[in-house]
Amino acid sequence: MSGSATVRVLRDRTAGLFLAAVVVSGFGTSAMWLAAGVWVKSLTGSDGLAALAVFAMWLPVLIGPVLGTIADRLPRKPLLVWSNLVMAGLLTSLLLVDSAGRIWILFTVLVLYGASFVLMGAAESALIAGAVDSRLLGDFNGLRMTASEGMKLLAPLTGAGLYARFGGGTVALLDAVSFALAAGVCAMLPVREPAGTAPAARRGELAAGIRLVWTSPVLRPLVLTGSVTMLCAGLNGAAIYAVVDDGLGHSPTYAGVLYAVQGVGSVAVGLLAGPLLRRMPERVFTAAGVALFAVAVASRALPDDAVALVASAAIGFGLPCVLIAAMTAVQRETPDAALGSTTATANTLMMVPNAVALALGAGLIALVDIRVLLPVVGAAALLTAALLVTGRRTRSSRLEQDGEPGMADEGPTGPVPSPPEA
């Protein structure tokens, strides 16, 4: 069944083209992600500005719900095509960045880069929800994760090599070409746009995504679990160099080995996510992934290379579970007219805590030993997993006592009961 489902996704022309676009654009994005910080560092000599290069790409996530409403208002296929083409053009402007005085051009492009990904992510999610069989959404999202993480294993090495040999402008051109190719792939998508919403229906649409997430008994617990888990992931990420140096006694470059092993875990879970989601409830799948992530984070406190490698693979396998489950639920449970804003809202609620935790974690590492910090972070994530499962059981028991079995499974397209405890 799992093999046949994967084949069905890959044979679906729409899904196949989307995955091709992810591979093409993901290669350039992963290369640029690494090169941006190195580029800023080499031109300015500032570690702080180099860190801000990555933050600039994260910044537009804060206004995700606003960008998501744009994806709901405009035809989504043309939006994907033109967004990719605009980014291809903007990236060529980075050829002008040859001194510290022009670094503002790079930062401007990076902010627009992040905004384009929020916008295109919302449009893509909405189109996929309408074009792919709902029973295969988990498989598609898993394969999308595999494609994205696979590019992260390959592209950074290419980007680093190009930067070292030819400079940042060459990496920018590579990324521009990847966006242009992705635009061509998106232009071939055989999708039909739904009829546009009437102006009266658009009143209050900025809050529609937040309202749908908050009132849905399906989406709310998954997104809140994702928020807490990504907060823990940010703290874990901030501790990586302390783990490598203080814990394992290696040079900072060993972090690349751990990240590569983590990427392998993410590729693996992407292939298995669809079959697993068909065999277990979304909450159980999510809680199992979060629990695996929690145990792996806590085990990183042990100063052992073998444990560190296994933990990295387990983190890569467990952490994406909550993201895959949440996004699949959003696509399945949300009306088409609000899919863009709801997708962007869910992403904002889950990704902003990760960025905040990365900044907070940098300070905590200086104050708290990782042998204390990481077990505490793991315990918090494990508690989150437990609350997700027990919250479901509590809600189900309450509904059965009230004589209303099954209501807890209904999303915003049907009757919406009181939000469950998460």
Side-chain angles (χ1 to χ4, degrees):
M1 175 65 180
S2 63
S4 62
T6 300
V7 170
R8 286 173 63 193
V9 171
L10 294 176
R11 284 182 176 175
D12 183 279
R13 187 161 185 259
T14 302
L17 287 172
F18 265 119
L19 291 172
V22 169
V23 170
V24 170
S25 64
F27 188 87
T29 297
S30 297
M32 189 63 196
W33 186 278
L34 173 66
V38 178
W39 200 350
V40 172
K41 170 68 175 178
S42 65
L43 290 177
T44 67
S46 170
D47 290 328
L49 287 176
L52 281 178
V54 176
F55 180 75
M57 299 175 79
W58 275 95
L59 190 61
V61 175
L62 294 172
I63 58 169
V66 177
L67 295 172
T69 60
I70 298 175
D72 287 332
R73 288 191 175 198
L74 299 177
R76 289 156 181 164
K77 177 179 172 179
L79 179 61
L80 285 175
V81 173
W82 283 106
S83 295
N84 277 294
L85 289 176
V86 168
M87 282 310 305
L90 285 173
L91 282 163
T92 61
S93 70
L94 296 183
L95 293 173
L96 301 173
V97 181
D98 56 4
S99 65
R102 292 184 174 180
I103 205 69
W104 65 269
I105 299 175
L106 177 56
F107 277 101
T108 301
V109 171
L110 290 178
V111 171
L112 294 174
Y113 201 118
S116 73
F117 267 83
V118 174
L119 186 60
M120 288 191 288
E124 175 192 306
S125 179
L127 283 177
I128 281 295
V132 176
D133 188 333
S134 62
R135 294 169 296 181
L136 298 177
L137 284 174
D139 296 272
F140 173 84
N141 289 323
L143 288 173
R144 191 189 189 287
M145 176 70 68
T146 294
S148 177
E149 292 300 319
M151 290 304 98
K152 290 179 182 178
L153 292 176
L154 301 175
L157 293 176
T158 302
L162 285 174
Y163 183 88
R165 181 68 179 85
F166 302 107
T170 304
V171 182
L173 285 178
L174 170 67
D175 201 9
V177 170
S178 76
F179 271 106
L181 291 175
V185 173
C186 290
M188 295 188 291
L189 288 170
V191 295
R192 294 182 180 179
E193 299 286 345
T197 56
R202 292 176 177 174
R203 290 196 296 267
E205 65 181 336
L206 184 59
I210 299 174
R211 183 171 61 253
L212 284 168
V213 170
W214 191 253
T215 58
S216 169
V218 177
L219 301 183
R220 181 184 176 187
L222 290 174
V223 172
L224 289 180
T225 298
S227 298
V228 177
T229 304
M230 294 307 292
L231 180 73
C232 294
L235 294 173
N236 170 67
I240 184 65
Y241 290 106
V243 169
V244 169
D245 184 11
D246 300 336
L248 302 177
H250 293 297
S251 67
T253 56
Y254 190 73
V257 176
L258 298 183
Y259 278 129
V261 174
Q262 182 173 324
V264 172
S266 296
V267 169
V269 76
L271 295 173
L272 297 173
L276 289 174
L277 279 170
R278 280 191 294 275
R279 287 168 171 76
M280 61 179 70
E282 284 172 341
R283 287 203 188 193
V284 176
F285 172 78
T286 302
V290 175
L292 178 61
F293 163 79
V295 173
V297 169
S299 67
R300 274 188 162 177
L302 299 174
D304 184 88
D305 281 351
V307 172
L309 291 171
V310 172
S312 291
I315 289 170
F317 193 98
L319 184 58
C321 291
V322 65
L323 303 178
I324 294 172
M327 285 300 102
T328 301
V330 166
Q331 291 168 332
R332 190 188 65 246
E333 300 290 330
T334 308
D336 179 85
L339 249 174
S341 60
T342 306
T343 296
T345 296
N347 275 324
T348 295
L349 291 173
M350 291 190 291
M351 294 304 160
V352 168
N354 183 262
V356 171
L358 283 169
L360 292 177
L364 282 175
I365 293 301
L367 301 174
V368 184
D369 192 292
I370 58 170
R371 291 171 294 183
V372 175
L373 178 62
L374 291 176
V376 169
V377 172
L382 194 60
L383 177 61
T384 302
L387 289 175
L388 179 64
V389 175
T390 57
R392 164 70 175 179
R393 290 174 179 171
T394 300
R395 178 64 181 170
S396 297
S397 299
R398 190 177 302 165
L399 288 172
E400 288 175 4
Q401 291 174 2
D402 294 339
E404 303 175 58
M407 279 186 71
D409 290 328
E410 295 194 38
T413 54
V416 182
S418 301
E421 299 176 2

